[in-house]
Amino acid sequence: MTIRSTKLTAVFSLFAAVLAVGMSLPERQASAQVKAVPREGVAFNDTVTQRVKIESVDPESRTVAFTSTTGQLVILPVTDSVTNLAAIEDNSMANVTYTEVITMLNLRQKGPGSQLARRDQMDTKPNATDVEAGRFTLTVVGVDLAKNTVSVIDGRGGAVRTYAANTIAKQDMLKKIKVGDVVIGMTTPLLVTAIAPAR
């Protein structure tokens, strides 16, 4: 009986000691336990003209909704300089010029799942989520450090676009990439500056 009570006392003592040590340790926040890998990115302003399908036009609120050539549904305000908004019909084709911000994110991320993430991003057939978010891949086809420019082509094809690195952050990015690199592009459409029915 004494041996059993001694063992029981020892177990309770050990349990109490573990509790005391656990309470004395500083509490770790969830953010300290899982550290996200930062993804560097730089943004470039751009103006795009596309032949698109007009979904709807609202002359009162001066907004237009259209499906871009990539399949992304875009809803944008229209500048006051556009005076023919009422003449644009729903479900028609139109040439739309709009401003956007292109953000280039690197693919040199590390950690679990990074290879899968890169493989997904470089898929030539983007998934619906990527299309909705305006996310796509760009292949670097030229880097000119003397002129501080980078030239890229969309992974889906199209024209080569050249962007000027006019800030220190952008110029620093140029030094880290080379021709042939694949980067993630993110588009943020801003404002329609011109619209005309497509002929």
Side-chain angles (χ1 to χ4, degrees):
M1 191 73 162
T2 307
I3 294 173
R4 181 176 284 177
S5 62
T6 304
K7 283 185 179 178
L8 197 56
T9 304
V11 169
F12 279 128
S13 298
L14 183 60
F15 182 69
V18 169
L19 277 179
V21 170
M23 293 178 132
S24 65
L25 289 174
E27 201 174 313
R28 291 180 69 187
Q29 295 180 348
S31 60
Q33 295 170 359
V34 179
K35 188 174 181 183
V37 178
R39 182 177 273 175
E40 295 178 18
V42 291
F44 298 89
N45 293 326
D46 196 15
T47 300
V48 179
T49 300
Q50 291 184 343
R51 179 186 165 97
V52 302
K53 181 188 176 191
I54 301 296
E55 302 296 337
S56 65
V57 176
D58 187 342
E60 281 187 30
S61 65
R62 297 195 60 79
T63 57
V64 62
F66 60 88
T67 301
S68 73
T69 54
T70 62
Q72 181 185 16
L73 177 64
V74 181
I75 303 171
L76 292 180
V78 181
T79 61
D80 291 338
S81 61
V82 176
T83 57
N84 63 338
L85 199 56
I88 306 298
E89 297 179 8
D90 293 355
N91 300 311
S92 65
M93 299 301 291
N95 295 315
V96 175
T97 301
Y98 60 95
T99 57
E100 68 179 3
V101 173
I102 298 280
T103 304
M104 293 184 198
L105 304 168
N106 70 23
L107 282 178
R108 294 182 180 85
Q109 58 181 359
K110 299 177 181 178
S114 60
Q115 289 182 345
L116 180 61
R118 281 196 290 271
R119 196 162 46 244
D120 288 346
Q121 291 300 335
M122 288 186 274
D123 191 348
T124 54
K125 293 181 180 176
N127 62 42
T129 305
D130 285 344
V131 170
E132 287 175 18
R135 184 169 50 235
F136 54 94
T137 58
L138 296 167
T139 301
V140 178
V141 294
V143 178
D144 190 333
L145 294 176
K147 294 182 180 177
N148 286 320
T149 60
V150 58
S151 298
V152 295
I153 188 168
D154 192 315
R156 300 159 299 195
V160 172
R161 294 192 169 274
T162 300
Y163 300 102
N166 52 12
T167 66
I168 293 173
K170 294 175 187 177
Q171 291 165 8
D172 189 47
M173 182 204 73
L174 292 187
K175 297 171 186 173
K176 297 177 183 176
I177 61 175
K178 61 185 184 303
V179 172
D181 279 356
V182 176
V183 298
I184 297 173
M186 294 282 294
T187 58
T188 307
L190 299 175
L191 187 66
V192 171
T193 57
I195 185 169
R199 298 183 188 278

